[in-house]
Amino acid sequence: MNKAKYRGIPCFFDLETSEIKGQNKFYDLLLDCVIWIDVHVFQVEGFPVLVEENQDNLE
């Protein structure tokens, strides 16, 4: 998993499975809320995930 940010929230993103999770429990909960708002309120079709380059595999 690579370090990433979703709307400024620090998270981890798996490029192979497109799985996203927060870097800790608070960010994980915040990420769930923001993604829910994006899907149900703003109805976005693409998600703005910024993946940091040149990161070692963190698994």
Side-chain angles (χ1 to χ4, degrees):
M1 296 190 92
N2 295 329
K3 286 186 177 181
K5 289 193 177 185
Y6 182 84
R7 298 205 183 273
I9 301 169
C11 57
F12 295 113
F13 185 75
D14 189 350
L15 295 171
E16 295 174 7
T17 63
S18 297
E19 177 185 6
I20 189 169
K21 69 178 192 174
Q23 288 187 358
N24 60 33
K25 289 182 181 182
F26 174 73
Y27 289 141
D28 207 24
L29 179 63
L30 187 60
L31 193 63
D32 287 343
C33 293
V34 172
I35 290 174
W36 186 90
I37 290 170
D38 279 350
V39 170
H40 292 93
V41 176
F42 297 120
Q43 299 177 350
V44 297
E45 293 182 17
F47 296 101
V49 178
L50 300 174
V51 179
E52 294 181 12
E53 295 181 19
N54 298 327
Q55 291 292 319
D56 294 332
N57 195 351
L58 298 175
E59 293 181 297

